[in-house]
Amino acid sequence: MSRRRRVYEGKAKVLYEGPEPGTLIQHFKDDTTANNNQKHATIEGKGVLNNRISEFIFSKLNDIGVPTHFIRSINMREQLIREVEIIPCEVVVRNVAAGSLSKRLGIEEGTQLPRSIIEFYYKNDELGDPMVSEEHITAFGWATPQEIDDMMALALRVNDFLAGLFLGIGIRLVDFKVEFGRLYEGDMVRVVLADEISPDSCRLWDTRTNDKLDKDRFRHDMGGLIEAYQEVARRLGILFENEPKRRGPTLVK
Ligand code: UDP
């Protein structure tokens, strides 16, 4: 087998050159980091679960007309994606107070927010991804006003879709982070959803018990991360080990 060219290596993923121009292979590693890289661990099986969960969510989003970079699954750890130019802004959508919002504004974790709130963070590890406003984004040319509008509209569509999907399987979508990229098609450029959506990038709480089914288990040394991610995959109907084959989520009453 010929050696693939590595295009980029991040904290939890590697990007390789794809089989055709304009494509890449996104490979999910088992590495996990928190607190701006101060905490690091390798958790066996995490990459496989995140790849499975993210490809499931991205293909559903493609199905409802949300443009994404996802093309198709390749294997347990890899997916074929379109090459995009990543916009250097992390977009966080919040439905319930938690994490940095609770800390910054003194709002108790678990408080339902009056409406979904969108925040922007500048993607820069050296600076620890600082929160920025639309003013900073346009003034420094990270994205145009139109691109900001597109990102916000898409983020809200993703939020509505995900909140419903998760509620149906007994999970509260507290918040999540997404990234967007510019897809160049001939003379056209459009904003599409990129990166991943997985329990690494969402806060997911069991609706009955409030159990955390996400990366906070690692951030707060709670243990049971793999079991929690497996539970998310199992409820989405995409974990096939030791159970009859079933596709799609099972409604939790
Ligand atoms: N998040 C992420 N990557 C980051 C920062 C945040 O995926 O670099 C996600 C995080 O998992 C949560 C949401 O974005 O679902 C909001 O995170 P918050 O701002 O509360 O940050 P934290 O408490 O993790 O510092």
Side-chain angles (χ1 to χ4, degrees):
M1 207 176 96
S2 64
R3 271 188 155 253
R4 294 185 299 190
R5 195 170 71 86
R6 187 186 314 201
V7 178
Y8 173 82
E9 175 144 14
K11 286 166 270 185
K13 296 190 290 291
V14 187
L15 294 178
Y16 296 100
E17 211 168 51
E20 289 147 37
T23 65
L24 295 172
I25 292 166
Q26 180 164 248
H27 175 109
F28 286 71
K29 301 191 283 186
D30 284 338
D31 298 63
T32 188
T33 60
N35 298 341
N36 197 27
N37 280 334
Q38 287 169 34
K39 208 170 146 175
H40 177 265
T42 304
I43 303 178
E44 207 184 318
K46 189 203 67 140
V48 171
L49 282 160
N50 278 353
N51 178 44
R52 189 78 193 91
I53 293 168
S54 195
E55 76 180 21
F56 176 79
I57 291 172
F58 272 67
S59 51
K60 293 275 176 226
L61 289 169
N62 279 342
D63 288 348
I64 62 161
V66 172
T68 84
H69 71 165
F70 177 78
I71 302 174
R72 65 178 163 81
S73 163
I74 296 179
N75 59 43
M76 281 168 69
R77 277 189 191 275
E78 295 178 329
Q79 42 185 257
L80 186 67
I81 59 168
R82 280 180 216 291
E83 185 171 21
V84 297
E85 181 181 88
I86 291 288
I87 296 172
C89 299
E90 299 193 342
V91 181
V92 168
V93 183
R94 302 178 181 274
N95 302 304
V96 177
S100 68
L101 177 111
S102 290
K103 231 179 278 163
R104 211 171 40 239
L105 303 181
I107 301 173
E108 196 186 344
E109 280 229 333
T111 308
Q112 186 74 40
L113 298 171
R115 62 175 174 82
S116 302
I117 294 175
I118 300 181
E119 295 170 348
F120 295 100
Y121 294 84
Y122 177 44
K123 252 175 88 72
N124 185 315
D125 282 342
E126 270 168 47
L127 301 175
D129 297 344
M131 185 155 130
V132 292
S133 73
E134 293 175 47
E135 283 283 287
H136 298 107
I137 298 173
T138 51
F140 296 121
W142 299 326
T144 64
Q146 179 62 54
E147 287 172 334
I148 294 177
D149 283 355
D150 291 349
M151 290 194 287
M152 291 177 77
L154 289 171
L156 288 177
R157 281 184 75 192
V158 171
N159 184 48
D160 285 346
F161 173 77
L162 282 186
L165 174 72
F166 282 123
L167 189 62
I169 56 171
I171 292 174
R172 196 172 181 202
L173 178 64
V174 171
D175 56 33
F176 64 95
K177 182 265 300 180
V178 280
E179 294 183 25
F180 295 91
R182 296 184 187 97
L183 180 64
Y184 291 88
E185 290 171 315
D187 298 343
M188 301 281 286
V189 192
R190 59 188 176 122
V191 172
V192 304
L193 187 71
D195 194 50
E196 68 174 285
I197 297 180
S198 72
D200 267 9
S201 57
C202 302
R203 283 200 171 90
L204 304 170
W205 296 356
D206 184 282
T207 44
R208 259 188 300 234
T209 63
N210 277 332
D211 266 359
K212 294 183 197 302
L213 302 173
D214 56 57
K215 193 170 155 183
D216 270 352
R217 302 203 73 88
F218 173 70
R219 292 191 187 100
H220 304 315
D221 298 312
M222 300 164 77
L225 181 126
I226 285 295
E227 292 74 10
Y229 286 27
Q230 274 172 345
E231 178 63 15
V232 173
R234 192 186 62 74
R235 290 194 200 178
L236 286 171
I238 54 175
L239 187 77
F240 299 135
E241 284 130 294
N242 309 321
E243 61 171 348
K245 281 203 174 186
R246 210 167 10 85
R247 283 195 187 267
T250 310
L251 191 66
V252 172
K253 301 215 171 65

